[in-house]
């Protein structure tokens, strides 16, 4: 929290904690609430538990009765891993790499554009600013899937479909990111500080990079994380744009496996189910790690839009 | 562009040059996003509108029909049923999701222990899961082949409910979406709760307010902007429902037709039947409906929240 420029806010938070601690010293009525929290955790974690347990099973174990919420006798992680990464010529590793590429390039691009535009809207009174802001707010309300079909037809005319750009370009558009950045920049970057830098002879871009950018860091991490998640989790856009399965992100790839396995029914698709389960587990690990390690940034950042 | 030159100018002239510079710099910063915005939002919207004004047929090729496609869409039971489904779904889902996330956030605001902090993170976790994988995980849990439901209900001598059947798929989907998003909304509400000035609680306690009164009279009213933000997001998200039903379609044999939601129908029209004109019509109509709904909603609640400030 030390990077937050709004000093009063972090002060308030700490003073609040001390107040809470003083006034409610381990109240006894907390036991039911703790039980409720425990039950909620069970509900929110059951699917993960199911994945962890069942990705240890062979196809026979998956279908062969036994509890689906507990491990089978033979734990087959290693064999399943080998199957997962060798099936179809190792296509799964490629899907993971594609997802990472789309998420990182698209996410960084979207964030860079959002930082520039959000800062520009917040700190410069240029002609057309009010209009731009009104249009931006309208754009937040446009459902992104409504754009996919016309974008596909447009891209098809210039031969961009079925390329990585067909997935990356549309990801760059993040009106909500610009909105968040604008709201944050208005408060976090004091005009006096910018004026002081200007008086000291720094140019506009230098002021932006050396003064404003460090102050915007929490919002930047938040917008980056939100963009990366949106892109990593995207399904509709790549499903429409791509036909070559070597370009698929992991979401579309697993969807493909799942529909293949379902078409063949339990009998023919059996061997596929065990790698679908493990593949699902592996595909969620990168983002979970990202969220856990970047906690202290996004926790504050997610509040930006809601406080204003 | 050097500041030293401007500093020696006389004040009025300086103000004018500053404003010209503000213009230039403002557009330099906003410009790159502006280009992307026009190319990937404005152009596709108008292109969808353009496409929707034409009809392609086997004989006679493509012809201009003005609003013919819209007349067709708004009398097409596939489209109307899909719209009705997503509206019904939103009406149940959004209050449920908001109640769940608000309740969890309020609990976490009261219980401040390491255990509570850990549970906050765990409840948020599903947000990091792709909706495709989330739907697949629950699809497994629901299915008789893989899932624990049959086991659990058998232990009580009961028949397990089949959430993949056409009568219960509504609730099956309701559960998946709530599971996926409640944690994210909870974090937004929780963060807003942290922003409330704690002296308000102190003052209320001195006046003899109970914990419940503090929640109902102070916390919830002050959370209005956050709740409004969530509501708008949930509404936009639900009306364009696609991923979960599309994935469950295979597992839930027959319960989810191709025209289950407007987006699935648009996808089917455009990519299974190569009818881009009608697909674009549905997309545009859906986008317009969502936009107008959200706009009216925000306008109606303008006095209470300040999302659009």
């Amino acid at each position: 929290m030390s990077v937050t420029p709004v000093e009063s806010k972090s002060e308030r938070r700490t003073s609040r904690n001390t107040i809470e601690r003083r006034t409610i010293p381990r109240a006894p009525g907390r036991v039911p609430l703790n039980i409720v929290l425990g039950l909620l955790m069970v509900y929110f974690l059951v699917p993960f538990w199911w994945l962890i347990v069942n990705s240890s099973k062979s196809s026979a174990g998956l279908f062969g009765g036994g509890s689906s919420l507990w491990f089978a006798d033979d734990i087959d992680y290693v064999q399943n891993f080998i199957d997962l990464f060798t099936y179809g010529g190792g296509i799964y590793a490629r899907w993971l790499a594609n997802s990472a590429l789309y998420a990182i390039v698209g996410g960084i691009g979207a964030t860079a554009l959002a930082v520039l535009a959000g800062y520009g809207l917040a700190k410069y009174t240029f002609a057309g600013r009010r209009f731009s802001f009104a249009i931006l707010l309208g754009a937040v309300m446009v459902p992104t899937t409504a754009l996919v079909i016309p974008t596909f037809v447009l891209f098809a005319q210039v031969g961009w479909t079925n390329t990585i750009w067909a997935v990356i370009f549309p990801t760059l558009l993040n009106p909500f990111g610009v909105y968040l950045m604008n709201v944050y920049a208005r408060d976090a970057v004091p005009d006096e500080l910018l004026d002081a830098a200007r008086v000291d002879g720094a140019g506009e871009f230098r002021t932006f990079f050396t003064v404003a950018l460090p102050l915007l860091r929490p919002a930047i991490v938040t917008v980056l994380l939100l963009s990366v998640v949106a892109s990593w989790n995207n399904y509709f856009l790549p499903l429409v744009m791509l036909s070559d399965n070597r370009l698929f992100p992991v979401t579309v790839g697993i969807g493909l496996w799942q529909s293949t396995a379902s078409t063949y029914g339990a009998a023919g698709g059996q061997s596929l189910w065990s790698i679908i389960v493990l593949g699902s587990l592996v595909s969620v690990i990168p983002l979970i790690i990202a969220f856990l390690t970047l906690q202290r940034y996004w926790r504050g950042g997610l509040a930006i839009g809601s406080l204003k | 562009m050097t500041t030293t030159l401007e500093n020696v100018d006389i004040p009025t002239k300086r103000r004018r040059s500053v404003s010209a510079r503000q213009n230039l710099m403002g557009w330099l910063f906003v410009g790159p996003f502006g280009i992307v915005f026009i190319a990937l939002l404005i152009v596709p919207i108008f292109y969808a509108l353009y496409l929707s004004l034409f009809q392609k047929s086997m004989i006679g090729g493509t012809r201009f029909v003005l609003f013919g496609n819209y007349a067709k869409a708004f009398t097409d039971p596939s489209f109307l049923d899909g719209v009705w489904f997503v509206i019904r779904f939103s009406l149940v889902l959004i209050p449920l999701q908001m109640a769940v996330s608000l309740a969890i956030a309020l609990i976490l605001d009261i219980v401040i222990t390491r255990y509570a902090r850990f549970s906050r993170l765990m409840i948020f976790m599903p947000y990091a899961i792709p909706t495709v994988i989330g739907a697949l995980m629950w699809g497994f849990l629901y299915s008789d082949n893989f899932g624990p439901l049959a086991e659990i209900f058998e232990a009580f001598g009961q028949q397990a409910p089949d959430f993949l059947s056409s009568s219960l798929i509504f609730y099956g989907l309701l559960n998946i979406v709530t599971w996926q998003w409640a944690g994210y909304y909870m974090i937004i509400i929780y963060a807003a709760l942290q922003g409330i000035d704690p002296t308000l609680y102190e003052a209320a306690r001195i006046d003899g307010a109970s914990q419940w009164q503090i929640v109902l009279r102070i916390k919830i009213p002050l959370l209005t902007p956050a709740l409004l933000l969530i509501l708008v997001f949930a509404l936009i998200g639900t009306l364009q429902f696609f991923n979960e039903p599309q994935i469950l379609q295979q597992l839930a044999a027959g319960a989810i037709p191709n025209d289950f939601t407007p987006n699935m129908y648009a996808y089917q029209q455009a990519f299974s039947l190569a009818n881009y004109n009608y697909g674009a019509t549905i997309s545009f109509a859906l986008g317009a409906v969502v936009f107008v709904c959200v706009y009216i909603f925000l306008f109606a609640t303008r006095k209470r929240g300040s999302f659009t400030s």
Side-chain angles (χ1 to χ4, degrees):
Chain A
M1 235 40 249
S2 57
V3 280
T4 317
V6 196
E7 226 54 76
S8 62
K9 210 179 269 176
S10 61
E11 264 172 16
R12 214 159 62 192
R13 196 159 299 166
T14 47
S15 73
R16 187 240 170 125
N17 280 347
T18 51
I19 288 171
E20 290 273 351
R21 241 167 248 148
R22 221 181 319 122
T23 46
I24 339 169
R26 254 170 248 99
R30 296 290 123 84
V31 177
L33 290 183
N34 280 320
I35 294 171
V36 171
L37 282 182
L39 292 175
L40 283 168
M41 268 198 285
V42 170
Y43 168 69
F44 283 98
L45 293 177
V46 154
F48 293 98
W49 176 248
W50 188 93
L51 268 194
I52 291 168
V53 165
N54 286 277
S55 53
S56 76
K57 293 178 184 170
S58 64
S59 297
L62 214 49
F63 287 90
S67 176
S68 59
L69 288 180
W70 197 246
F71 296 93
D73 295 335
D74 52 334
I75 290 185
D76 249 350
Y77 279 118
V78 176
Q79 186 55 45
N80 284 345
F81 257 102
I82 294 169
D83 288 348
L84 175 66
F85 284 97
T86 54
Y87 182 86
I91 193 85
Y92 184 79
R94 205 175 154 129
W95 290 342
L96 276 183
N98 289 340
S99 275
L101 176 77
Y102 302 152
I104 290 168
V105 176
I108 290 177
T111 309
L113 292 174
V115 174
L116 291 174
Y119 176 78
L121 282 170
K123 292 296 159 189
Y124 293 98
T125 43
F126 55 92
R129 176 169 81 152
R130 278 173 151 270
F131 178 71
S132 307
F133 195 68
I135 295 271
L136 178 79
L137 277 177
V140 173
M141 297 166 220
V142 173
T144 47
T145 54
L147 301 172
V148 170
I149 291 175
T151 308
F152 171 83
V153 182
L154 281 171
F155 280 11
Q157 284 167 6
V158 288
W160 280 354
T161 50
N162 205 24
T163 65
I164 59 169
W165 304 111
V167 182
I168 292 174
F169 280 150
T171 317
L172 296 178
L173 181 75
N174 186 355
F176 185 65
V178 178
Y179 170 77
L180 278 187
M181 203 53 81
N182 170 60
V183 170
Y184 194 80
R186 257 189 284 177
D187 289 350
V189 185
D191 288 330
E192 297 76 28
L193 210 59
L194 296 178
D195 285 339
R198 284 177 192 134
V199 169
D200 286 349
E204 292 297 329
F205 287 111
R206 194 164 155 208
T207 308
F208 170 70
F209 281 110
T210 57
V211 179
L213 217 48
L215 295 175
L216 293 174
R217 198 162 61 181
I220 293 172
V221 177
T222 307
V223 172
L224 181 65
L225 214 57
L226 290 176
S227 313
V228 166
V229 170
S231 171
W232 182 277
N233 293 355
N234 204 343
Y235 177 67
F236 191 52
L237 178 76
L239 180 72
V240 163
M241 292 290 179
L242 305 172
S243 51
D244 179 355
N245 67 6
R246 286 173 308 159
L247 294 179
F248 283 179
V250 75
T251 48
V252 180
I254 288 188
L256 174 76
W257 275 355
Q258 185 251 353
S259 80
T260 316
S262 308
T263 334
Y264 287 125
Q270 265 199 23
S271 60
L272 214 45
W273 284 119
S274 63
I275 64 171
I276 292 172
V277 175
L278 184 62
S280 303
L281 179 64
V282 171
S283 77
V284 306
I285 291 172
L287 282 192
I288 291 187
I289 291 175
F291 270 106
L292 292 181
T293 49
L294 294 173
Q295 265 200 76
R296 68 193 191 92
Y297 294 103
W298 57 257
R299 268 215 318 264
L302 283 182
I304 300 167
S306 60
L307 292 178
K308 286 282 125 189
Chain B
M1 197 46 81
T2 47
T3 32
T4 39
L5 265 181
E6 278 157 10
N7 284 343
V8 291
D9 278 342
I10 51 168
T12 47
K13 209 174 171 192
R14 183 182 159 201
R15 199 172 301 136
R16 204 173 303 136
S17 77
V18 163
S19 134
R21 194 174 70 170
Q22 288 262 339
N23 252 330
L24 175 73
M25 292 313 298
W27 280 109
L28 276 179
F29 275 104
V30 176
F33 178 77
I35 293 168
V36 168
F37 188 83
I38 290 169
L40 294 164
L41 192 122
I42 304 291
V43 170
I45 284 180
F46 283 98
Y47 192 60
L49 180 63
Y50 169 80
L51 281 175
S52 71
L53 303 179
F54 292 88
Q55 222 165 53
K56 203 171 158 187
S57 54
M58 293 291 192
I59 19 162
T62 306
R63 63 195 173 89
F64 182 73
V65 292
L66 195 63
F67 298 121
N69 282 323
Y70 293 95
K72 187 180 158 197
F74 283 101
T75 50
D76 181 348
S78 288
F79 176 66
L80 293 178
D81 288 353
V83 169
W84 175 230
F85 172 81
V86 287
I87 289 176
R88 245 180 338 138
F89 194 71
S90 308
L91 286 177
V92 182
L93 172 76
I94 296 176
L96 174 75
Q97 219 171 18
M98 288 180 69
V100 170
S101 47
L102 177 64
I104 302 174
L106 289 169
I107 292 176
L108 290 172
D109 193 48
I110 294 170
V111 188
I112 331 166
T113 55
R114 192 164 292 181
Y115 166 75
R117 244 179 296 151
F118 175 73
S119 67
R120 187 176 69 204
L121 202 57
M122 292 303 110
I123 291 166
F124 175 68
M125 217 74 274
Y127 172 69
I129 308 301
T131 47
V132 169
I133 309 292
L136 206 56
M137 283 153 91
W138 280 104
F140 288 138
L141 286 168
Y142 293 156
S143 89
D144 336 322
N145 277 331
F146 311 101
L149 278 181
E151 288 168 44
I152 293 167
F153 278 82
E154 234 164 67
F156 296 98
Q158 300 277 318
Q159 175 93 34
D162 183 4
F163 286 110
L164 296 174
S165 65
S166 46
S167 54
L168 291 181
I169 190 76
F170 185 91
Y171 302 98
L173 288 167
L174 203 62
N175 173 52
I176 297 176
V177 181
T178 307
W179 174 83
Q180 185 103 47
W181 293 100
Y184 176 61
Y185 295 153
M186 174 273 287
I187 291 282
I188 293 181
I189 300 174
Y190 179 79
L193 273 170
Q194 298 297 295
I196 296 175
D197 187 350
T199 54
L200 288 175
Y201 308 145
E202 197 76 337
R205 266 190 217 112
I206 290 167
D207 289 346
S210 70
Q211 187 72 260
W212 268 111
Q213 282 170 319
I214 292 176
V215 166
L216 292 177
R217 302 270 169 83
I218 300 178
K219 290 184 180 177
I220 293 180
L222 286 172
L223 288 174
T224 316
L227 293 172
L228 205 63
L229 179 84
I230 291 169
L231 209 147
V232 168
F233 279 164
L235 194 61
I236 297 171
T238 321
L239 293 177
Q240 50 179 332
F241 207 29
F242 178 82
N243 293 0
E244 291 88 348
Q246 181 77 14
I247 284 294
L248 286 184
Q249 196 177 24
Q250 309 278 351
L251 291 171
I256 300 176
N258 282 325
D259 55 4
F260 195 64
T261 71
N263 246 335
M264 286 176 73
Y265 189 48
Y267 175 75
Q268 187 219 7
Q269 285 292 328
F271 299 104
S272 306
L273 307 175
N275 191 351
Y276 296 108
N277 298 100
Y278 196 48
T281 307
I282 295 169
S283 278
F284 192 85
L286 177 70
V289 168
V290 173
F291 189 86
V292 170
C293 283
V294 174
Y295 200 84
I296 289 172
F297 175 79
L298 283 178
F299 192 76
T301 53
R302 200 175 45 166
K303 288 193 187 74
R304 300 218 266 139
S306 52
F307 178 52
T308 50
S309 68

